Amino acid sequence: MKSISEDVFKFFLPEENLVSAEELTSGHINDTYLVKGASDKRYIFQKINKDVFPDVPGLIMNKVQVSRHLHKKHTHLPVSERERRVLTFVRSHQGSYHYWDKNGNYWNVTLFVEKSQNFESVEDKSIAYEGGKLFGSFIRDTEDFDPGKLIEVIPKFHDMSFRFDQFDQALKDSSAKRRERAKNLIEKALALRTEMQLLENLKDDGAIRIRVTHNDTKISNALFDHDGKGLCVIDTDTIMPGIIHYDFGDAIRTICNTAREDETNLDLVNFNKEYYDSYLKGYLEALGNSVSAMERKYFPLAAKTMIFIMALRFLTDYLNNDVYYKTSYPEHNLDRSKNQFKLIDSFDSVMGKVS
Ligand code: GN1
Ligand code: MG
């Protein structure tokens, strides 16, 4: 079993004693541990993947700054309650928020949010609604934070042209066997190229406002309390400047999928319009005046675009022999991509034309 070493623990928590560390395996990129100290407090220790993120200290400063900003928005709450609603980063005795270990890996630590739950997929429309309120509040509460103060943790992260460039390259480099296995998906991806470029064109033309966005708003990154009320947005590694559509679309991608992202029985993968409407309702309520008519207009296209970009990225990684995402078995990325393409088919039949 993987664990964390004493030096990492003591760097952040010199007064504490390490009792246990359990690896949490739901993420595809970083290594995450739920750690218990002798004081009975619990923490999340995270080792950031330096192959994926070129500037880890910059990434950590991004999320620490935004957390501080969000804490200020919640000063009306007692500290214990505020720490359940906003991630709290642990600062080391040397004053830094990250540790660089002897193997060259960066670590950061947050307080664990007690009495919370999260979901890999949604089974109740009230969770979709509460998720909408939570992610909408995130956008509203960061509206007055200058996105220019944030680094781009992965340049062009949600840029379709960049993701298509990577896909085109993968097509050239891949084995004939993998290309053959993915033949249908490759055709589907190529057929959607023009439509899936529209949102980026609007962004590049300056028609859509750049703001602080989370960029990984899958539903498992939202914590809820035991009554199912939205509590806290987590996994803030990819906070950077972006457009609201990235966050809206990625949330819809996971909330409205009637199955998990890697479900292999595609009959179970369908787009749930009721959850879409519930999420949108909560989102708009929380956003109030913080969203423009122009931004709202492109929400349906954003949903399709973000489902597609994940389908394309999983497919690209499959063609590249699974070098990016963690996989549990040989065709895991291919299965993820099939799942997302099935979701697009279902989206089209439920939502109709969106561009
Ligand atoms: C990755 O590691 P995780 O699960 O937080 C990915 C997201 C994808 C997601 C798909 C940096 O996030 O973009 O939406 O997998 N993060 C990065 O589940 O590539
Ligand atoms: Mg993430």
Side-chain angles (χ1 to χ4, degrees), residues 49-111:
N49 185 329
K50 59 181 188 302
D51 296 329
V52 165
F53 297 107
D55 176 4
V56 182
L59 173 157
I60 294 173
M61 272 329 290
N62 267 11
K63 55 185 186 174
V64 167
Q65 284 186 75
V66 172
S67 269
R68 280 207 203 119
H69 180 84
L70 292 174
H71 269 279
K72 284 193 206 128
K73 298 268 163 166
H74 290 79
T75 44
H76 55 286
L77 296 172
V79 174
S80 60
E81 194 49 28
R82 207 188 307 159
E83 288 177 346
R84 295 181 67 229
R85 293 184 180 271
V86 183
L87 279 183
T88 307
F89 287 84
V90 176
R91 196 171 167 185
S92 76
H93 56 289
Q94 293 176 7
S96 73
Y97 288 95
H98 68 264
Y99 177 61
W100 198 42
D101 74 14
K102 54 183 182 301
N103 302 316
N105 292 308
Y106 288 98
W107 292 78
N108 70 263
V109 180
T110 51
L111 301 183

Side-chain angles (χ1 to χ4, degrees), residues 231-259:
L231 200 56
C232 183
V233 172
I234 60 167
D235 187 14
T236 51
D237 297 336
T238 48
I239 284 183
M240 60 184 139
I243 54 176
I244 193 170
H245 303 90
Y246 300 154
D247 284 7
F248 179 80
D250 198 39
I252 293 298
R253 176 181 77 84
T254 49
I255 287 168
C256 300
N257 191 342
T258 50

Side-chain angles (χ1 to χ4, degrees), residues 72-307:
K72 284 193 206 128
K73 298 268 163 166
H74 290 79
T75 44
H76 55 286
L77 296 172
V79 174
S80 60
E81 194 49 28
R82 207 188 307 159
E83 288 177 346
R84 295 181 67 229
R85 293 184 180 271
V86 183
L87 279 183
T88 307
F89 287 84
V90 176
R91 196 171 167 185
S92 76
H93 56 289
Q94 293 176 7
S96 73
Y97 288 95
H98 68 264
Y99 177 61
W100 198 42
D101 74 14
K102 54 183 182 301
N103 302 316
N105 292 308
Y106 288 98
W107 292 78
N108 70 263
V109 180
T110 51
L111 301 183
F112 178 70
V113 178
E114 299 289 350
K115 293 177 277 170
S116 65
Q117 55 177 334
N118 68 343
F119 305 95
E120 288 290 328
S121 60
V122 172
E123 280 170 19
D124 178 345
K125 72 175 183 186
S126 78
I127 293 297
Y129 170 74
E130 285 293 327
K133 284 210 319 195
L134 186 65
F135 284 127
S137 305
F138 178 88
I139 292 283
R140 186 199 60 217
D141 290 343
T142 54
E143 193 184 29
D144 54 345
F145 187 102
D146 175 8
K149 288 189 184 153
L150 301 174
I151 66 153
E152 258 196 284
V153 291
I154 298 182
K156 303 182 182 171
F157 188 50
H158 288 317
D159 272 17
M160 197 59 79
S161 50
F162 171 63
R163 295 304 180 185
F164 262 111
D165 286 348
Q166 291 182 319
F167 173 67
D168 292 338
Q169 190 59 46
L171 277 179
K172 287 189 194 133
D173 300 341
S174 53
S175 69
K177 185 171 166 234
R178 287 209 173 207
R179 266 199 314 277
E180 181 55 32
R181 298 282 300 146
K183 194 164 174 277
N184 290 343
L185 304 187
I186 292 170
E187 281 167 12
K188 279 172 184 267
L190 293 172
L192 283 167
R193 193 174 205 136
T194 310
E195 186 188 11
M196 294 295 94
Q197 187 60 41
L198 293 174
L199 209 50
E200 187 186 327
N201 295 348
L202 288 164
K203 171 177 162 265
D204 291 348
D205 291 348
I208 305 177
R209 152 181 190 192
I210 302 294
R211 29 160 107 235
V212 174
T213 47
H214 179 284
N215 298 302
D216 189 13
T217 48
K218 53 184 176 185
I219 190 62
S220 56
N221 284 337
L223 298 184
F224 297 83
D225 69 15
H226 288 163
D227 296 324
K229 299 281 179 226
L231 200 56
C232 183
V233 172
I234 60 167
D235 187 14
T236 51
D237 297 336
T238 48
I239 284 183
M240 60 184 139
I243 54 176
I244 193 170
H245 303 90
Y246 300 154
D247 284 7
F248 179 80
D250 198 39
I252 293 298
R253 176 181 77 84
T254 49
I255 287 168
C256 300
N257 191 342
T258 50
R260 296 165 64 108
E261 164 183 274
D262 59 356
E263 173 60 55
T264 54
N265 179 353
L266 298 184
D267 291 340
L268 302 179
V269 176
N270 289 298
F271 189 83
N272 186 320
K273 170 81 162 60
E274 199 188 13
Y275 292 176
Y276 180 95
D277 294 337
S278 300
Y279 184 86
L280 181 61
K281 183 169 186 287
Y283 205 54
L284 293 178
E285 277 175 23
L287 281 164
N289 294 333
S290 302
V291 62
S292 69
M294 175 68 181
E295 287 175 317
R296 283 173 58 167
K297 181 176 168 196
Y298 291 103
F299 278 173
L301 177 62
K304 184 168 175 180
T305 306
M306 294 310 287
I307 304 170

